[in-house]
Amino acid sequence: MDADDHFPPDSSDDQSNRGSVASSATLSRAQEVIIYLFGESAVLLGVEGLGSVNVQELGRSVRVALHIPESAQDVFTFWLCSPLLDLQLKQRHQPYKLCRQWQDLLYRFTEASEEDISQDEPFLQFRRNVFYSKSKELQMDDEVVLRLLYEEARSNVLAGRYPCDPEHWMSLGALSIALDEGTGLDGSQFSSTIREKKLSSFVPAHVALGGGGLLSTLRGKASRQAALEQKLSEAYRKISTSAEPTELLHQYLNTCHALPYYGCAFFLGEIDKPAQGILQRAKRKAVSIGICLEGVYVMDIKEKHVLLGLRFNELSWDHSYPEDQGDSHILWLEFDGEEDGTPVNKLLKIYSKQAELMSGFIEFCVELKATSEGGAASEMDGEVSLSQQPADQEGSKKNGRGGRRGMLHRQNSVVCSRVHTLNTISYVDNGKEIKRLKPKRAASFFTRQASAPTYSAVQVSESLEQG
């Protein structure tokens, strides 16, 4: 299996109705190709045989153009991106052919309208490889590589894809100013920089714009921006004036590495909202699902915080296809929980046409962790994120899924799970039968697990229940 073999097989085939590529003289001679980077920059390449060039060959040319050392050849790869869909490509993929199949992929993996699909155009982007480990990334010292990683991480922070607590986005914003403008700005120069580039260039957009409606926004905008500027200035003053760019880049990335969803591939979906009354129609909440080598993270798109975060040794999963017209593809996530004091298995339904992609992605991440570099996988499981404390050893022995999560020390952190806000299905497995608690559902315990299927429920008070 290739290092990025997570797509369903037929999504990469050349058998699409619109996927045939003309073998004309136009495609055989040199063509200009734009490769986009984060940070509003791009690489212009002259490529011969565009119709048949693959990701591996194109990557070699981009690394030469950007002066990326061979030691970092696995850090980045190519993605086909648009406002409707982002896909990481395999080494054998031929980008031109996939562009010709783009509408097929949109029909298959998005809920977009025919009009939106017909107008959507993908672009080729060179960005971080989801399957490159954070531990290896920390060892990088090449400034070009670090700068590319920084620009991507910064974009995700500012867009709210990486939810951050105030102290973290403030620190990251100050580091961005230092990297863009240097570490020696005085008070007047600092204020001028903020006014010229706007706060949204340094702190997440939802923080810079605020909320609470139009009137409250207009009334409080000046005071809020002044307070944000003052806090940014204080964080900026803490940065050493002698710090080199490489050191600042490392500081930025190290802070991002503490976020458990750093480096994730993101997918779109919906989950059921908890019912507010007997007669109220069921509603759904839009969520972003981040998947990386460490686990799965379900995030509230509107509120910019984590709803559920699970390491692979804490979950089971499955994907179901629609049974009737109008039904949805569903990604099922199963994890330990509690119902009225009883340890139970909880099921979260994620509705998404990308459920098939997500299931395959999880499966490959699990396999990759199981086979990678001896003890590296278990070492990664032992890392402590912002939202976790070390697991106690007694709990690790009791939990058949590979270890109990520790108490979360910051219940109000955006990084913490909010399991109590989720509308889940709960049941117990007493060794003989599945006892449904609510509601009734004809389903058995999933066999697709990241570790051995032996099971012992975890008490919510020690793992899942967070503010």
Side-chain angles (χ1 to χ4, degrees):
M1 178 175 283
D2 293 340
D4 46 358
D5 195 11
H6 58 278
F7 295 123
D10 53 341
S11 71
S12 62
D13 289 346
D14 300 333
Q15 300 174 358
S16 164
N17 293 332
R18 293 188 292 274
S20 59
V21 178
S23 56
S24 63
T26 302
L27 292 179
S28 62
R29 64 173 180 257
Q31 299 285 310
E32 287 189 339
V33 177
I34 300 176
I35 310 296
Y36 290 90
L37 310 172
F38 280 97
E40 299 182 355
S41 58
V43 177
L44 184 62
L45 294 178
V47 179
E48 293 187 359
L50 177 60
S52 59
V53 69
N54 62 31
V55 164
Q56 187 174 18
E57 296 163 343
L58 203 56
R60 195 177 300 118
S61 299
V62 171
R63 290 194 299 273
V64 170
L66 294 174
H67 306 290
I68 294 176
E70 282 302 304
S71 60
Q73 63 178 327
D74 296 328
V75 179
F76 305 100
T77 189
F78 290 97
W79 293 64
L80 269 184
C81 307
S82 83
L84 300 181
L85 185 65
D86 291 355
L87 293 177
Q88 178 172 313
L89 305 187
K90 306 174 185 179
Q91 292 294 301
R92 66 173 182 272
H93 272 146
Q94 297 172 339
Y96 179 81
K97 292 185 178 181
L98 282 178
C99 285
R100 294 288 298 271
Q101 299 176 42
W102 190 246
Q103 289 190 10
D104 291 331
L105 295 171
L106 294 181
Y107 277 114
R108 185 177 180 193
F109 295 123
T110 76
E111 301 284 357
S113 66
E114 286 193 27
E115 181 180 0
D116 288 341
I117 288 176
S118 66
Q119 296 176 358
D120 193 64
E121 292 186 7
F123 60 90
L124 197 58
Q125 190 170 45
F126 191 66
R127 63 198 242 195
R128 190 183 187 279
N129 179 2
V130 173
F131 303 112
Y132 194 77
S133 72
K134 290 193 288 187
S135 59
K136 289 183 180 179
E137 184 179 305
L138 288 171
Q139 300 170 15
M140 285 291 166
D141 289 318
D142 184 85
E143 187 171 345
V144 173
V145 174
L146 293 175
R147 178 72 64 168
L148 289 172
L149 291 169
Y150 155 74
E151 292 289 358
E152 182 172 347
R154 177 183 181 180
S155 175
N156 283 323
V157 169
L158 296 182
R161 271 187 156 184
Y162 291 170
C164 296
D165 291 313
E167 63 269 29
H168 295 113
W169 52 249
M170 199 64 71
S171 172
L172 294 172
L175 286 168
S176 289
I177 296 173
L179 283 162
D180 290 356
E181 307 295 330
T183 58
L185 298 179
D186 59 27
S188 175
Q189 293 170 326
F190 185 89
S191 297
S192 296
T193 297
I194 296 297
R195 284 194 296 271
E196 290 173 8
K197 294 193 172 183
K198 298 183 179 180
L199 274 171
S200 57
S201 298
F202 305 109
V203 300
H206 65 281
V207 174
L209 297 176
L214 179 61
L215 289 178
S216 62
T217 298
L218 292 175
R219 291 170 183 166
K221 182 177 180 180
S223 59
R224 184 179 64 254
Q225 291 201 344
L228 286 173
E229 182 178 331
Q230 177 61 33
K231 291 179 180 179
L232 266 178
S233 177
E234 292 172 359
Y236 177 80
R237 300 295 166 214
K238 295 178 182 178
I239 298 173
S240 171
T241 55
S242 61
E244 296 292 330
T246 302
E247 183 181 350
L248 296 175
L249 292 168
H250 270 298
Q251 289 180 32
Y252 194 101
L253 291 172
N254 285 343
T255 302
C256 289
H257 280 199
L259 302 172
Y261 30 78
Y262 172 80
C264 278
F266 290 94
F267 305 84
L268 296 177
E270 293 181 326
I271 60 174
D272 292 316
K273 287 185 176 181
Q276 300 297 316
I278 299 176
L279 301 179
Q280 187 183 53
R281 293 182 62 184
K283 296 183 179 180
R284 293 180 182 175
K285 179 197 297 285
V287 293
S288 171
I289 303 96
I291 303 174
C292 62
L293 290 175
E294 281 78 16
V296 180
Y297 303 89
V298 181
M299 289 168 270
D300 190 315
I301 291 178
K302 181 180 178 181
E303 300 298 333
K304 309 298 183 187
H305 59 219
V306 174
L307 295 170
L308 179 66
L310 296 169
R311 297 293 180 106
F312 289 128
N313 59 0
E314 298 168 321
L315 66 86
S316 301
W317 82 99
D318 207 350
H319 156 242
S320 60
Y321 294 91
E323 295 182 359
D324 299 309
Q325 188 172 3
D327 288 352
S328 302
H329 289 261
I330 297 175
L331 178 71
W332 299 87
L333 297 181
E334 182 182 57
F335 55 97
D336 301 342
E338 184 182 82
E339 195 72 40
D340 297 329
T342 302
V344 299
N345 304 336
K346 283 185 173 288
L347 287 173
L348 178 67
K349 295 169 64 175
I350 301 176
Y351 305 91
S352 175
K353 288 188 75 172
Q354 298 173 12
E356 183 182 4
L357 279 176
M358 289 188 276
S359 180
F361 204 104
I362 293 171
E363 185 170 10
F364 180 71
C365 286
V366 169
E367 292 177 359
L368 190 63
K369 277 182 67 73
T371 58
S372 65
E373 302 176 15
S378 59
E379 208 171 284
M380 195 177 299
D381 279 337
E383 290 178 357
V384 180
S385 71
L386 285 175
S387 63
Q388 291 174 296
Q389 291 179 348
D392 65 82
Q393 305 209 343
E394 183 182 356
S396 297
K397 293 176 183 177
K398 290 181 180 179
N399 187 357
R401 294 190 184 186
R404 177 182 295 181
R405 282 163 51 135
M407 290 283 289
L408 298 184
H409 57 87
R410 296 202 50 210
Q411 299 301 301
N412 60 344
S413 170
V414 296
V415 180
C416 292
S417 295
R418 290 159 172 78
V419 178
H420 64 283
T421 68
L422 298 176
N423 186 4
T424 57
I425 298 170
S426 301
Y427 66 92
V428 295
D429 180 1
N430 62 11
K432 298 179 181 178
E433 61 180 354
I434 298 297
K435 179 182 178 183
R436 306 179 191 90
L437 297 185
K438 65 172 188 180
K440 290 186 177 182
R441 174 177 174 268
S444 60
F445 184 69
F446 296 145
T447 57
R448 301 182 67 174
Q449 293 179 291
S451 58
T454 55
Y455 178 81
S456 176
V458 176
Q459 295 295 329
V460 172
S461 61
E462 296 185 357
S463 62
L464 294 173
E465 195 67 50
Q466 297 123 32

